[in-house]
Amino acid sequence: MKRTVLALVLALSFSLANAQEVSFGYVEWPGVTVKTHVASEILSTLGYDTEMSSLSVPLVLRGVANGDLDAFLGVWVPSMNGMVDPYLDDGSVTQVAVNLNETVYRPAVPTYVYEAGVTSLADLTAYNEQFEQDFYAIEPGNDGNQIMLDAVANGTYGLSDWDIVESSTEAMLAAVGRATDRDEWIVFLAWSPHWMNAVYDIRYLDDPEGIWGSDGYVATVMNTESAEAMPNVSLFLSQLQVTPDMQNLWINRYSRQGQDPAEVASTWISENLDVVLQWADGVTTASGEPASDVLSARFATSE
């Protein structure tokens, strides 16, 4: 009996000492923040040591490329193509999944501004005075900001005298809220899924010059060596796919209701174990047990 207990203790100690580490990079966007917590919580339950690092987009992508980070679940295509393509082309980064379809990412205005005649980016300069030549963006280093900064630098749509107001998602949306409360004019960076589409009456602007590309998707990328060294993790991440409704719920609970993202993730996993088990199909724990057994034991709730 003592030998059996000793063997179990030694086996557990060996397992913990040799647990694989999985490091995620993420950007402080509500959707990818909670999505990364969901992935981290599941892999942690499966016996992996997980870490999460909040960084700007360029630093996250560079970290995945050089191996300081293993994965990033927030590559918006096509707007981030210019940032991620060099790493995909040199083979340091691999796209392992499209984790979210049906996305929109481009400038928007309140509906009352749209109905007043601003239906396209090409219409902005006709209303310089109303907009005060300001475009409201989010955190510096973001790909969407860069598209508009390039437009100003290149004089695209006649925007050479405009200012790109860089701040944060929260600050930008606060400005949108103030403007809509007062029926003032504002043009800003918008995307879907996000709660802004339900709270504010907004319309997305046409882009005749095509600087924003077509509406696309969100991809999961991994460091190529990490993907090869951790095929079980790669399999799980390749199967982690969410719907706009899922992400809208996450964003609402975290960004609007102020819940802790780890709490949002854990609660959602318990409420949607059937979805999680689909993601875990064929996946094992770090020690080789069926992932479904461990996840069900941890997250199954009583009827």
Side-chain angles (χ1 to χ4, degrees), residues 52-256:
M52 295 175 52
S53 299
S54 171
L55 301 163
S56 67
V57 173
L59 291 179
V60 170
L61 292 174
R62 191 183 310 159
V64 175
N66 64 28
D68 289 337
L69 300 170
D70 295 311
F72 176 43
L73 282 66
V75 177
W76 282 69
V77 177
S79 63
M80 283 189 191
N81 283 352
M83 291 182 166
V84 72
D85 280 353
Y87 300 125
L88 294 171
D89 292 342
D90 69 19
S92 59
V93 169
T94 299
Q95 179 175 313
V96 298
V98 172
N99 67 60
L100 174 66
N101 268 310
E102 305 174 53
T103 64
V104 182
Y105 187 55
R106 51 195 160 95
V109 295
T111 294
Y112 55 81
V113 174
Y114 190 92
E115 291 176 344
V118 182
T119 63
S120 162
L121 288 167
D123 298 324
L124 293 176
T125 56
Y127 300 92
N128 280 339
E129 184 176 344
Q130 288 90 331
F131 288 115
E132 298 183 352
Q133 294 180 285
D134 287 333
F135 177 89
Y136 285 81
I138 53 177
E139 69 279 347
N142 177 268
D143 56 303
N145 294 21
Q146 192 59 52
I147 290 172
M148 292 305 292
L149 287 166
D150 290 343
V152 169
N154 298 328
T156 310
Y157 294 121
L159 297 173
S160 57
D161 293 327
W162 276 54
D163 292 322
I164 307 304
V165 182
E166 297 186 293
S167 53
S168 66
T169 299
E170 292 76 12
M172 182 195 74
L173 291 175
V176 173
R178 288 192 298 272
T180 55
D181 285 344
R182 303 166 183 168
D183 289 334
E184 295 174 347
W185 285 43
I186 188 170
V187 57
F188 58 96
L189 181 55
W191 58 91
S192 177
H194 193 275
W195 59 258
M196 74 175 81
N197 298 276
V199 173
Y200 304 123
D201 188 6
I202 65 175
R203 299 286 293 273
Y204 289 86
L205 298 181
D206 291 337
D207 174 27
E209 296 290 331
I211 63 175
W212 284 87
S214 58
D215 294 338
Y217 57 86
V218 180
T220 300
V221 295
M222 289 187 71
N223 173 272
T224 299
E225 292 184 1
S226 296
E228 294 172 351
M230 297 186 291
N232 190 57
V233 173
S234 180
L235 174 61
F236 166 68
L237 292 179
S238 73
Q239 296 176 167
L240 191 161
Q241 299 176 2
V242 306
T243 66
D245 285 345
M246 291 179 196
Q247 190 146 315
N248 280 331
L249 178 66
W250 295 343
I251 293 169
N252 184 59
R253 288 179 175 176
Y254 167 49
S255 188
R256 290 197 69 212

Side-chain angles (χ1 to χ4, degrees), residues 4-19 47 287 289:
T4 302
V5 173
L6 179 60
L8 288 173
V9 171
L10 290 174
L12 178 60
S13 299
F14 178 81
S15 176
L16 292 174
N18 291 275
S287 58
E289 302 170 71

